[in-house]
Structures are given as C-alpha cells and as structure tokens.
C-alpha cells in the first residue's frame, strides 16, 4: 500500500505561485514511482491576503497546519506590504511556533553550471549552511521612541540562549561528523561584545564532544571573503539567524544563482511539522512570466522527501536535477538559458522517471 502524506501548501507571493506547482508535480510523479502519495491542503496566506483582509494568515492559521506531515512554502513578499510585516506575519511565526530551530541550506556547484566565481568548480564546492532559525538577531524585543523628532531612536535586542546555541551547535557538529568533519562557525566577537563571545564559547564547548570534527571560528566579514576566494574549503558552516541568512544567499550566488538554493526549516525532535522552501524570495520583477527557476523549490521538495523517510526518492530527484544540468542545455534565464519553469520541470521529470 502507498504511504500517504498530508502537506500544508503555502505558495505565497510572486514566483512562489509558479515554483510551488512545479515542486508538487515532481513530488507526485516521483512519489508514484516510489509508492508515496501526497494530499495537499492549499492555503492562500500571502501579501495579497494581507491587502484584502489585513492579515497574512487567519488567527487560527498555525492550528490549521499543526497536524500536517510537513509544510511546503513558496515565497513571501510583495512591494504592497512592508517586508517586516509579511515576514513576521507568516514565515517567522511558523518557524517559531513549530520550533523549527534548524535552517538547513545545502549548496553545490553542479556540473554544467558556471559559477561567477572562478575558483568555484563543479564537484568541488559542496557545503551546508546550518542557520539558527528562531532566536538571535531576529527578535521582537526592542522598540521605537520619539517618532518624527530629531532624537528619534530604535532599539533592537538580539537574543542568544544557552539552550538555543547548544542545540544548533550540536546539530551542525553532528552533521559535520557525517560529512567531511569540518565546522566553520561564523562570529563577530571583536565588535559584538556580549552575544558573539557567548556564541563562540558555547560552540567551542559543544565541539569537545565531537572529537572527529575540526572547529574553526571566523569573523563574518572575513568568512564572506573566504567563501568567495576559496569556496571548496568549506564543509558545514553554522551561524546565527542573521549571519546564516546572509551566508546562504552568498553561498547560493557562488554556486551560480540564488534560484537553485533550497532550505529546510527543521524541528529535529519531530514534535511539530517541518517546513521546506526555496531560499529565494517572491521576485516581483519576474513574477507571472513563467521563467522562474524551479530548481530551489524542487530541491526543497527532495529535502522534504528525505525528511519524511523516503531517502531513495529524494536521491532520485537530486540526481535528476544534477543530470539536467550536466547533460542538457535546459536552463532558466537566471542560469543563462531560455527555458521556462515548466520546461525545466519536465526535464527533471524525464530523468527522474526515465
Ligand atoms: N522562499 C522563502 C522566502 O520568501 N523568503 C523571503 C525572505 O525574505 N526570507 C527571510 C528569511 O528567511 O529570514
């Protein structure tokens, strides 16, 4: 009998509406081949909904998706709604309420994709960014005073807890143990005098329990330079919420395009559903033209398959992505081609199911 999964589907805004159906098409087709079926409950939570109703999602939104096996999200953001309103009205509450404290963002330079960085060669760059996802610089603590007056001010408190840093360090160290054994921790303890030395201390303490992992700590500014100059050096990179977010866009660009990067927002204990999304945003400049790169969303779907216990199906999707890039000229415009979202998706399916 086929394994059935219920997925909460939130296409969201802009190209999220275009790449999410592409990912579902791959899930359905590859799933069928592997004895897995998906039932989707689609939610219209988005900036359009905010414009019409005043809220990104309904008051009981989180309760409605709590019991799904996983959540698949397209993209969030539209010029009509301030970015902090759309993010804090949808994406961030999901991550926090469901304790999705790991944001896993793998990056590879695929054969057939030319990186803008000369030293980023296919087969050599294969790294994972492990971003802390529910605390750090993304914090509600703070406020604004004296709006409109010359002395107007804004204060934003970053929040780092021992529990929070410990669990993300353990996740990253565990992952490094199963990979090449190198963990790079992003810091800025020369300028940020409280939270970053604390981050460094906790990561170093936890590393003592992982003798097979070499830990290196790099200031975020120097780390960004090194990622560009020598991307093949890196294996697992961990960072706070903000540093991890910035690093994953940087590493995705080094790999050729932010359109190819996937993300898994994981609740490792599986007390709550985890959420899968492409790293890219809603890209209003190209939305509606059918040319968005669905690779990030399709790769995120592969990560979802893996999380749901279907490693073989996940590997088949990842291999199909690699095959399209290595063996065909099919590319969306962000990778220098002329293929549409649908054409790229078809090419992936041809390799995935033969
Ligand atoms: N595909 C997810 C998305 O739309 N992300 C937009 C974004 O700005 N994300 C910020 C973040 O991940 O913290």
């Amino acid at each position: 009998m086929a394994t059935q999964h219920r997925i909460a589907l939130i296409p969201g805004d802009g190209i999220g509406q275009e790449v999410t159906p592409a990912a579902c098409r791959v899930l359905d087709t590859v799933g069928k081949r592997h004895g897995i079926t998906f039932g989707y409950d689609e939610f219209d939570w988005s900036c359009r909904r905010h414009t019409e109703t005043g809220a990104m999602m309904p008051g009981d939104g989180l309760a409605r998706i709590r019991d799904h096996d996983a959540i698949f999200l397209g993209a969030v953001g539209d010029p009509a709604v301030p970015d902090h309103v759309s993010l804090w009205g949808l994406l961030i509450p999901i991550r926090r309420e469901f304790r999705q404290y790991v944001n896993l963002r793998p990056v590879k330079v695929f054969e057939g994709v030319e990186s803008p960085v000369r030293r980023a060669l296919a087969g050599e760059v294969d790294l994972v960014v492990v971003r802390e996802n529910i605390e750090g610089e993304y914090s509600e603590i703070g406020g604004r005073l004296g709006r409109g007056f010359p002395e107007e001010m804004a204060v934003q408190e970053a929040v780092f807890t021992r529990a929070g840093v410990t669990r993300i360090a353990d996740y990253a160290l565990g992952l490094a143990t199963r990979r090449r054994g190198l963990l790079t921790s992003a810091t800025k303890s020369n300028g940020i005098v409280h939270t970053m030395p604390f981050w460094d201390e906790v990561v170093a303490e936890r590393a003592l329990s992982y003798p097979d992992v070499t830990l290196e700590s790099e200031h975020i500014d120097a780390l960004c330079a090194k990622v560009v100059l020598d991307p093949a050096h890196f294996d697992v990179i961990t960072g706070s919420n903000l540093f991890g977010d910035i690093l994953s866009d940087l590493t995705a660009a080094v790999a050729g395009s932010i359109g190819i990067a996937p993300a898994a927002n994981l609740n490792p204990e599986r007390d709550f559903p985890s959420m899968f999304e492409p790293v890219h945003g809603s890209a209003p400049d190209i939305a509606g033209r059918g040319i968005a790169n669905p690779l990030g969303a399709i790769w995120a779907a592969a990560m979802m398959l893996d999380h749901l216990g279907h490693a073989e199906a996940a590997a088949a999707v990842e291999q199909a992505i690699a095959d399209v890039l290595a063996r065909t000229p099919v590319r969306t415009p962000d990778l220098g081609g002329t293929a549409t979202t649908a054409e790229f998706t078809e090419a992936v399916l041809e390799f995935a199911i033969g």
Side-chain angles (χ1 to χ4, degrees):
M1 211 171 75
T3 311
Q4 255 224 316
H5 293 294
R6 269 243 76 80
I7 307 298
L9 203 63
I10 311 172
D13 299 302
I15 61 168
Q17 295 280 342
E18 298 163 46
V19 298
T20 304
C24 292
R25 185 155 156 57
V26 172
L27 283 170
D28 290 336
T29 313
V30 174
K32 206 168 178 184
R33 175 62 66 94
H34 290 264
I36 314 156
T37 59
F38 293 94
Y40 304 101
D41 292 317
E42 188 166 332
F43 300 89
D44 68 346
W45 304 345
S46 59
C47 289
R48 175 186 288 195
R49 187 183 189 284
H50 188 280
T51 305
E52 288 167 5
T53 71
M56 295 291 293
M57 64 176 161
D60 66 346
L62 296 174
R64 290 197 204 179
I65 58 175
R66 183 180 300 266
D67 295 325
H68 285 75
D69 294 325
I71 304 159
F72 194 90
L73 178 99
V76 186
D78 186 277
V81 179
D83 285 340
H84 66 281
V85 173
S86 55
L87 219 61
W88 281 87
L90 182 58
L91 193 53
I92 292 180
I94 295 175
R95 289 176 179 165
R96 288 177 183 226
E97 182 76 12
F98 297 150
R99 313 308 292 162
Q100 296 167 349
Y101 60 84
V102 175
N103 192 319
L104 200 61
R105 297 182 162 187
V107 173
K108 270 184 203 165
V109 176
F110 287 98
E111 197 183 323
V113 174
E114 203 182 330
S115 164
V117 174
R118 209 167 2 113
R119 294 188 64 186
L121 300 175
E124 291 185 10
V125 177
D126 180 354
L127 62 89
V128 185
V129 176
V130 176
R131 165 188 177 186
E132 199 295 316
N133 211 30
I134 60 173
E135 53 178 56
E137 305 86 347
Y138 282 41
S139 143
E140 293 156 288
I141 302 175
R144 304 231 338 225
L145 281 178
R147 282 178 195 254
F149 290 100
E151 68 274 19
E152 181 172 358
M153 62 180 280
V155 176
Q156 179 92 40
E157 302 280 1
V159 176
F160 289 75
T161 66
R162 180 165 287 278
V165 183
T166 298
R167 67 192 170 209
I168 199 67
D170 278 329
Y171 190 93
L173 287 157
L175 184 61
T177 303
R178 299 190 296 280
R179 289 174 50 99
R180 274 197 292 126
L182 175 64
L183 176 64
T184 307
S185 171
T187 185
K188 191 61 189 165
S189 50
N190 54 355
I192 300 183
V193 294
H194 300 302
T195 55
M196 282 296 138
F198 176 66
W199 169 278
D200 294 349
E201 277 165 37
V202 177
V203 174
E205 267 170 46
R206 293 312 305 145
L208 297 175
S209 301
Y210 298 81
D212 297 336
V213 177
T214 302
L215 172 67
E216 56 182 28
S217 181
E218 293 279 0
H219 291 305
I220 185 69
D221 45 341
L223 177 54
C224 289
K226 282 189 186 173
V227 163
V228 172
L229 294 173
D230 187 14
H233 167 77
F234 297 97
D235 179 15
V236 179
I237 307 178
T238 193
S240 62
N241 211 330
L242 178 64
F243 289 175
D245 191 34
I246 296 168
L247 278 169
S248 46
D249 274 34
L250 174 70
T251 48
V254 165
S257 165
I258 193 177
I260 69 181
N265 301 268
L266 299 176
N267 171 244
E269 293 75 22
R270 295 173 186 262
D271 295 329
F272 301 101
S274 291
M275 175 167 64
F276 300 82
E277 54 170 334
V279 169
H280 65 70
S282 58
D285 53 329
I286 58 161
R289 292 167 57 194
I291 56 164
N293 191 343
L295 201 161
I298 293 172
W299 193 355
M303 293 179 86
M304 187 171 83
L305 279 167
D306 193 49
H307 177 78
L308 293 172
H310 308 294
E312 209 179 297
V317 174
E318 282 186 36
Q319 187 58 49
I321 292 170
D323 284 338
V324 173
L325 296 172
R327 295 165 59 182
T328 81
V330 181
R331 308 274 184 282
T332 44
D334 58 307
L335 289 177
T338 56
T340 62
T341 308
E343 285 163 351
F344 189 89
T345 308
E346 280 314 310
V348 170
L349 285 175
E350 268 170 41
F351 280 99
I353 60 170

